[in-house]
Every structure is written in structure tokens, then in C-alpha cells.
Amino acid sequence: MEFWKVDKILLSFLEEDIGFGDITTEGVYRGERAKAIFLAKEKGVCAGLPFSIRIFQLLGEVRVIKAWEEGKEFQEGDVLLELEGSAQVLLKGERTALNLFQRLSGIAFLTKEFVKRLQGTKTRLLDTRKTTPGLRYFEKYAVKVGGGSNHRFALYDMVLIKDNHKRIAGGIGEAIRRVKEKVGPAYRIEVEVESLEELEEVLSWNVDIVMLDNFSPQMVRDAIKVIKGRAKVEVSGNITLENIRDYAIEGVDYISTGAITHSARWLDVSMRIL
């Protein structure tokens, strides 16, 4: 995403919080300058710090004294960011900058935990479109920082035929036919399948990726024997930290889960004026 678009979104975040003015800070402030730190209150993975810094910069002049590396793990008590500048800028930007950082670091931390479970396999972890409205760019960024990979960003960059498309078209084969007629070879086509019988029909259409939705590990093994390399294989549906390794079977290219975005917990980080 272009920098000006990111700035536009960050400014909208500030507008939401500041509105017509920070009446508390404006009442207290008398031109003071200050230093502030982001202090980790638990372990995690750093993600989104450049956006937090930019939030302060959009409010006024600040100097970055130190900043933690993106993607690097941290522990309780670590100083992740140190800034110096107008006390008014630091106080006005505090909540917005922290909120975004805590959210993205939580996603990166959970993503990294999933990725660790896949070490030693050829399977890649993918995210989904189950993101917070308005935050997709940032949340998918955090997934990449945590070691995961992005699935399609939005509805416009890849075809993904799911159960509701099949119902509208009157069948999975007809849905694929209609899409191929409309878009031709311009976009990759992925199709969700819910049974081995449906898989056979989908493979006959030469699609790029098949998504095995809510299959058991044994069903996945059976499906791979049917696919025989004719399409990339994605496994999805109720994937957890406890079971993801069971699905990282030879022949599975991707495992996708919405949990890394929709169920990631905010990490506990605070800002302190020194």
C-alpha cells in the first residue's frame, strides 16, 4: 500500500480519538518536551512499531531514540520504543499508537506460535479475510511479521469458490464454468470442497488450488492420493495450535486459519513518560 494511503488511514484513527481536541492535554500542556517509552508487560513479538511511530509524527515533530526490531521477540520489562518530542504530541498519540501496536503484536505472536508447529514440514501457514474492518492491511502485515503468509488480500485478487457460490450456481461444476467463462486465465482459481466425491468433480476442471474444508487428517491423506499433484492443496477449518501439526501432511501446501487474526489477544504494553 502506498505511504499516503497508510497516512490517510492513520489520520482517520487519530480523528476518531482526538476529534475536535484533546481537552485534557490542552489544558495541562504549557510547551513542555518529554521522553516516552513503550514498556512490555508480557512476552510477545514486535509488530507495527513503524505505524505507531508514524502516528506520533503525523501529530508533530518527534525523535526516535530507540526502536525494537520488527519480528523480534520481546520479554516482560523490555523497552520497545523510546521517543523524545513535544509532550502534547506524545500524549495525544499515546492511545492510538498503543492500540495498533498491541493489536498487531498480538497477531504476530500468535502467528509465530502456529508457524513453530509447522517447523520441519513443507506446509505454509496462510491467513484469511477474517480481519477487523478497516484494519486488514495492518493485520495481514502482522501475519507476515509473525512468519505467516497472506492468502488473497480481498475479493478482487483471486477467485475462491465456496459453498454459497455453489448453491447460487446450482452446483460446483457450474460455478467453476461460469467463473472460467468470466475471468479466463487472468486469475488463479481456488475451490472449496467438502467431500472426496466433490473433489473428483473439481479436479476435472483443472483448477489451481483445492481447499479441503473441515476434513479429518485421514480424509486429507485420502484426498492427496486422489489429487496426485494435479492442484495445490490447502487445508482449512477448525485449525488450532493443538491440531495443526496433524494436518501438515506431505502433499499439503498450505494450512489456513482465521484464528491468527480474529482470535489473537492484544498484548499488554504501556507508554510511560520519563
Side-chain angles (χ1 to χ4, degrees):
M1 184 181 290
E2 295 92 336
F3 289 128
W4 69 268
K5 289 184 178 179
V6 174
D7 279 357
K8 184 178 179 180
I9 297 171
L10 297 179
L11 284 167
S12 74
F13 296 164
L14 287 167
E15 172 64 22
E16 176 184 61
D17 197 38
I18 298 173
F20 58 79
D22 176 357
I23 58 176
T24 307
T25 297
E26 290 167 6
V28 171
Y29 178 68
R30 293 296 185 272
E32 294 89 351
R33 294 184 67 79
K35 287 184 179 180
I37 61 170
F38 276 17
L39 182 67
K41 301 175 80 172
E42 62 179 318
K43 68 178 181 179
V45 172
C46 182
L49 211 48
F51 302 126
S52 294
I53 292 169
R54 185 59 180 157
I55 284 168
F56 289 112
Q57 291 173 337
L58 289 169
L59 290 169
E61 181 270 326
V62 293
R63 181 170 66 93
V64 179
I65 298 172
K66 65 177 291 187
W68 206 261
E69 182 183 344
E70 291 285 275
K72 183 180 178 182
E73 296 186 20
F74 56 79
Q75 302 296 322
E76 179 182 357
D78 284 333
V79 174
L80 306 176
L81 177 66
E82 184 174 353
L83 299 171
E84 188 273 332
S86 162
Q88 180 173 238
V89 168
L90 296 174
L91 291 172
K92 283 187 173 182
E94 174 183 0
R95 188 72 270 152
T96 303
L98 274 176
N99 284 357
L100 190 57
F101 180 70
Q102 289 174 267
R103 173 66 178 151
L104 301 191
S105 293
I107 290 171
F109 180 61
L110 183 57
T111 299
K112 195 160 193 174
E113 291 302 302
F114 272 93
V115 170
K116 286 178 181 178
R117 305 303 198 275
L118 294 177
Q119 286 180 351
T121 76
K122 296 179 180 179
T123 305
R124 290 166 51 195
L125 180 72
L126 299 180
D127 58 18
T128 71
R129 285 171 42 245
K130 293 177 182 177
T131 56
T132 309
L135 290 180
R136 180 170 297 170
Y137 170 78
F138 301 99
E139 292 181 350
K140 281 183 170 282
Y141 164 86
V143 167
K144 293 182 73 173
V145 169
S149 300
N150 295 153
H151 202 285
R152 59 176 181 166
F153 183 80
L155 294 172
Y156 52 72
D157 57 9
M158 178 180 166
V159 172
L160 176 49
I161 298 173
K162 304 192 78 173
D163 54 350
N164 285 332
H165 300 105
K166 175 178 65 178
R167 294 187 184 103
I168 289 171
I172 199 163
E174 178 61 13
I176 298 170
R177 187 196 67 77
R178 291 182 185 184
V179 164
K180 282 179 169 281
E181 183 179 83
K182 177 71 175 179
V183 306
Y187 296 92
R188 289 185 302 158
I189 297 177
E190 179 172 5
V191 182
E192 176 188 275
V193 298
E194 299 175 286
S195 68
L196 293 175
E197 293 73 28
E198 200 171 58
L199 176 61
E200 291 279 11
E201 182 179 4
V202 168
L203 289 171
S204 71
W205 286 93
N206 297 317
V207 300
D208 300 291
I209 308 170
V210 291
M211 178 193 290
L212 307 178
D213 187 47
N214 289 306
F215 277 40
S216 68
Q218 185 55 54
M219 288 176 66
V220 171
R221 292 187 182 91
D222 294 340
I224 289 170
K225 292 176 183 176
V226 173
I227 296 166
K228 296 178 181 177
R230 288 181 284 171
K232 293 287 187 181
V233 178
E234 176 182 341
V235 171
S236 188
N238 297 310
I239 301 298
T240 67
L241 285 170
E242 290 69 35
N243 69 18
I244 189 170
R245 186 74 183 202
D246 297 333
Y247 285 97
I249 299 160
E250 186 174 354
V252 173
D253 300 287
Y254 316 109
I255 296 177
S256 61
T257 175
I260 53 178
T261 50
H262 69 61
S263 295
R265 182 179 60 83
W266 287 34
L267 296 188
D268 193 359
V269 180
S270 65
M271 189 184 98
R272 294 185 183 177
I273 297 291
L274 301 180

